[in-house]
Amino acid sequence: MGEWSVADIPDQSGRTVVITGANSGLGAETAKALAAAGANVVLACRNTEKAEVVAREIGSSATIARLDLADLDSVRAFADDLTGADVLINNAGVMAIPLRRTTQGFDMQMGTNHLGHFALTALVLPKITDRVVTLSSSMHQFGRIDLGDLNWEKRRYRRWRAYGDSKMANLMFGKELAERLAASSSATSSLIAHPGYAATELQGKSGTVEDVFMNVANKVFAQSAAAGALPTLYAATSPDATNGTFYGPTQMFGAHGAPGISGYNKRADDKVFRDGLWTASEKLTDITFGV
């Protein structure tokens, strides 16, 4: 696909894109680029005050809607209010934070990154006409999901392992959704993306000495959030992006560079495990898919 950039985004006039966590970082850069290409963007955010700053920069094509992925009641309310969209981008997330619980008692990382987006996608999928893009991370490589203890109630909590688990869950969900959509002959597709190593507000929230090193590394090694958003933008807009494919940067072992097809841990292709994660996610959220 060559050196794909924002200049290659097709005209998005008349299209509506919902972006979770669009108040900062990757989500904000994604929203700005899509709006610049003509799209109407819905900034679906918990922090609506920060979203207002982004919306003012974008202009009249931006709409703010409150969405707290750590509260399934908020997810349901958002889904009820959404009239429709062409694209849903499951972007929001938390990384390596201390053990905390969502409103429904889920581990905050699995609950926000995976279960909240799982529930949101299930509820709004009938209203999405084109594609769903779910963000994973290269950290999915370290995920070893325990289906018997998704929410770290039986094990000693390990914040980086929990993050890796949630990102593996994102990848497995995106791939499983793609297969189920294809099997149901749906016109909607599911794609997955990751930003490589991009400087965002996601880093530096672990509450440990690691935050110091991450903040330094952000300044020295990381690419910009705008560059990190390119794989998401490609997955969300390119006519060449295909159902079930994982996209990410193509240089420096997937850390930097123009977007392309990304390698991934083949555990994500374990159909039996993916089915188990899907079933567990439906049970925990008490929300079922129509595919």
Side-chain angles (χ1 to χ4, degrees), residues 25-39:
L26 298 171
E29 295 299 333
T30 300
K32 292 173 188 176
L34 289 169

Side-chain angles (χ1 to χ4, degrees), residues 120-250:
L120 173 66
T121 306
L123 292 169
V124 304
L125 190 60
K127 304 176 183 181
I128 303 299
T129 61
D130 185 11
R131 60 187 88 178
V132 176
V133 180
T134 300
L135 266 71
S136 181
S137 162
S138 56
M139 288 295 292
H140 83 275
Q141 295 278 0
F142 299 98
R144 299 289 191 280
I145 297 171
D146 184 341
L147 290 180
D149 189 24
L150 276 181
N151 289 303
W152 295 86
E153 296 167 320
K154 304 172 184 176
R155 297 167 290 163
R156 180 177 65 85
Y157 182 70
R158 297 162 58 190
R159 65 189 72 197
W160 282 106
R161 165 70 182 276
Y163 179 67
D165 285 358
S166 72
K167 293 289 103 179
M168 174 59 86
N170 288 147
L171 179 55
M172 286 185 164
F173 166 61
K175 284 187 161 290
E176 184 63 24
L177 178 60
E179 288 196 7
R180 293 182 182 225
L181 288 168
S184 64
S185 299
S186 173
T188 305
S189 57
S190 169
L191 306 94
I192 315 96
H194 78 89
Y197 188 6
T200 72
E201 293 184 14
L202 196 63
Q203 294 100 338
K205 302 293 177 63
S206 72
T208 70
V209 69
E210 293 171 350
D211 291 347
V212 175
F213 296 102
M214 284 191 287
N215 289 332
V216 171
N218 266 6
K219 296 176 181 178
V220 177
F221 301 111
Q223 62 180 349
S224 67
L230 288 176
T232 301
L233 290 164
Y234 181 86
T237 67
S238 174
D240 297 323
T242 56
N243 188 42
T245 303
F246 188 31
Y247 295 99
T250 53

